[in-house]
Coordinates of all heavy atoms in Angstrom, one line a residue:
S1 N -4.8 -21.9 2.3 CA -3.9 -21.7 3.3 C -4.5 -22.0 4.7 O -3.7 -22.2 5.6 CB -3.5 -20.2 3.3 OG -4.6 -19.4 3.5
G2 N -5.8 -22.2 4.8 CA -6.4 -22.5 6.0 C -6.3 -24.0 6.4 O -6.7 -24.4 7.5
K3 N -5.8 -24.8 5.5 CA -5.6 -26.2 5.8 C -4.4 -26.5 6.6 O -3.6 -27.3 6.3 CB -5.5 -27.0 4.5 CG -6.8 -26.9 3.6 CD -6.6 -27.7 2.3 CE -7.9 -27.6 1.4 NZ -7.7 -28.3 0.1
G4 N -4.4 -25.8 7.8 CA -3.4 -26.0 8.8 C -2.0 -25.4 8.4 O -1.1 -25.6 9.2
R5 N -1.9 -24.7 7.3 CA -0.6 -24.2 7.0 C -0.3 -22.8 7.5 O 0.8 -22.5 7.9 CB -0.4 -24.2 5.4 CG -0.4 -25.6 4.8 CD 0.2 -25.5 3.4 NE -0.5 -24.6 2.6 CZ 0.2 -23.6 1.9 NH1 1.5 -23.5 2.1 NH2 -0.4 -22.8 1.1
F6 N -1.3 -22.0 7.5 CA -1.2 -20.6 7.9 C -1.9 -20.3 9.2 O -3.0 -20.8 9.4 CB -1.7 -19.6 6.9 CG -0.9 -19.6 5.6 CD1 0.2 -20.3 5.4 CD2 -1.3 -18.7 4.6 CE1 0.9 -20.3 4.2 CE2 -0.6 -18.6 3.4 CZ 0.5 -19.4 3.2
T7 N -1.3 -19.5 10.1 CA -1.9 -19.1 11.3 C -1.8 -17.6 11.6 O -0.6 -17.1 11.5 CB -1.3 -19.9 12.5 OG1 -1.4 -21.3 12.3 CG2 -2.0 -19.5 13.8
I8 N -2.9 -16.9 11.8 CA -2.9 -15.5 12.1 C -3.0 -15.4 13.6 O -3.7 -16.1 14.3 CB -4.0 -14.8 11.4 CG1 -3.8 -13.3 11.6 CG2 -5.4 -15.3 11.8 CD1 -4.8 -12.4 10.8
S9 N -2.2 -14.4 14.2 CA -2.2 -14.2 15.6 C -1.8 -12.8 15.9 O -1.4 -12.1 15.0 CB -1.3 -15.2 16.4 OG 0.1 -14.9 16.0
D10 N -2.0 -12.3 17.1 CA -1.6 -11.0 17.5 C -1.0 -10.9 18.8 O -1.1 -11.8 19.6 CB -2.8 -10.0 17.3 CG -3.9 -10.3 18.3 OD1 -3.8 -11.1 19.1 OD2 -5.0 -9.6 18.1
D11 N -0.4 -9.8 19.1 CA 0.2 -9.5 20.4 C -0.2 -8.0 20.7 O 0.5 -7.1 20.1 CB 1.7 -9.7 20.4 CG 2.4 -9.5 21.7 OD1 1.8 -8.7 22.5 OD2 3.4 -10.1 22.0
N12 N -1.1 -7.9 21.5 CA -1.6 -6.5 21.7 C -0.6 -5.7 22.5 O -0.5 -4.4 22.2 CB -2.9 -6.5 22.6 CG -4.1 -6.9 21.7 OD1 -4.5 -6.3 20.8 ND2 -4.7 -8.0 22.1
G13 N 0.3 -6.3 23.3 CA 1.3 -5.6 24.0 C 2.3 -5.0 23.0 O 2.9 -3.9 23.3
K14 N 2.6 -5.7 21.9 CA 3.5 -5.2 20.9 C 2.8 -4.5 19.7 O 3.4 -4.1 18.8 CB 4.3 -6.4 20.4 CG 5.2 -7.0 21.4 CD 6.1 -8.2 20.8 CE 7.0 -8.7 21.8 NZ 7.9 -9.8 21.3
N15 N 1.5 -4.5 19.8 CA 0.7 -3.9 18.8 C 1.0 -4.4 17.4 O 1.2 -3.7 16.4 CB 0.8 -2.3 18.8 CG -0.4 -1.6 18.4 OD1 -1.6 -2.1 18.6 ND2 -0.3 -0.4 17.8
T16 N 1.1 -5.7 17.3 CA 1.6 -6.4 16.1 C 0.8 -7.6 15.8 O 0.3 -8.3 16.7 CB 3.1 -6.9 16.4 OG1 3.9 -5.7 16.6 CG2 3.6 -7.6 15.2
V17 N 0.6 -7.9 14.5 CA -0.1 -9.0 14.0 C 0.8 -9.9 13.3 O 1.7 -9.4 12.6 CB -1.3 -8.6 13.1 CG1 -2.0 -9.8 12.6 CG2 -2.3 -7.7 13.9
Y18 N 0.7 -11.2 13.4 CA 1.6 -12.1 12.8 C 0.9 -13.0 11.8 O -0.3 -13.3 11.9 CB 2.3 -13.0 13.8 CG 3.0 -12.2 14.8 CD1 2.4 -11.9 16.1 CD2 4.3 -11.7 14.6 CE1 3.0 -11.1 17.0 CE2 5.0 -10.9 15.6 CZ 4.3 -10.6 16.8 OH 5.0 -9.9 17.7
L19 N 1.6 -13.5 10.8 CA 1.1 -14.6 10.0 C 2.2 -15.6 9.9 O 3.3 -15.4 9.3 CB 0.8 -14.1 8.6 CG 0.2 -15.2 7.6 CD1 -1.2 -15.6 8.1 CD2 0.2 -14.7 6.2
R20 N 2.0 -16.8 10.6 CA 2.9 -17.9 10.5 C 2.5 -18.8 9.3 O 1.4 -19.2 9.2 CB 2.8 -18.7 11.8 CG 3.6 -20.0 11.8 CD 5.1 -19.7 11.8 NE 5.9 -20.9 11.9 CZ 7.3 -20.9 12.0 NH1 7.9 -19.8 11.9 NH2 7.9 -22.1 12.1
M21 N 3.5 -19.0 8.5 CA 3.3 -19.8 7.3 C 4.2 -21.0 7.3 O 5.4 -20.9 7.3 CB 3.6 -18.9 6.0 CG 2.8 -17.6 6.0 SD 3.0 -16.7 4.5 CE 4.7 -16.3 4.6
N22 N 3.6 -22.2 7.3 CA 4.3 -23.4 7.3 C 4.1 -24.2 6.0 O 3.2 -23.9 5.2 CB 3.8 -24.3 8.5 CG 4.1 -23.7 9.9 OD1 5.2 -23.1 10.1 ND2 3.2 -23.9 10.8
S23 N 4.9 -25.2 5.8 CA 4.8 -26.0 4.6 C 4.7 -25.2 3.3 O 3.8 -25.4 2.5 CB 3.6 -27.0 4.7 OG 3.8 -27.8 5.9
L24 N 5.6 -24.2 3.2 CA 5.4 -23.2 2.1 C 5.5 -23.9 0.7 O 6.3 -24.9 0.6 CB 6.5 -22.2 2.2 CG 6.2 -21.1 3.3 CD1 7.5 -20.3 3.6 CD2 5.1 -20.2 2.9
K25 N 4.8 -23.4 -0.2 CA 4.8 -23.9 -1.6 C 5.2 -22.8 -2.5 O 5.0 -21.6 -2.2 CB 3.4 -24.4 -1.9 CG 2.8 -25.4 -1.0 CD 1.3 -25.7 -1.4 CE 0.7 -26.7 -0.4 NZ -0.7 -27.0 -0.8
P26 N 5.8 -23.1 -3.7 CA 6.1 -22.1 -4.7 C 5.0 -21.2 -5.0 O 5.2 -20.0 -5.2 CB 6.6 -22.9 -5.9 CG 7.2 -24.1 -5.3 CD 6.2 -24.5 -4.1
E27 N 3.8 -21.7 -5.0 CA 2.6 -20.9 -5.3 C 2.2 -19.9 -4.2 O 1.3 -19.1 -4.4 CB 1.4 -21.7 -5.6 CG 1.1 -22.8 -4.6 CD 1.7 -24.2 -5.1 OE1 2.9 -24.2 -5.5 OE2 1.0 -25.2 -4.9

């Protein structure tokens, strides 16, 4: 997933963490 497809980020103001997932695969 680290091959440019997934990105973890956060927003301290919203107290929220995100996982952006691109080029999704059935697996």
Side-chain angles (χ1 to χ4, degrees):
S1 60
K3 294 179 182 178
R5 296 199 305 125
F6 291 2
T7 304
I8 186 172
S9 63
D10 64 5
D11 184 332
N12 286 298
K14 294 183 178 180
N15 214 28
T16 299
V17 178
Y18 304 96
L19 182 70
R20 174 68 176 179
M21 305 185 294
N22 296 325
S23 302
L24 285 164
K25 305 175 182 179
E27 50 264 43

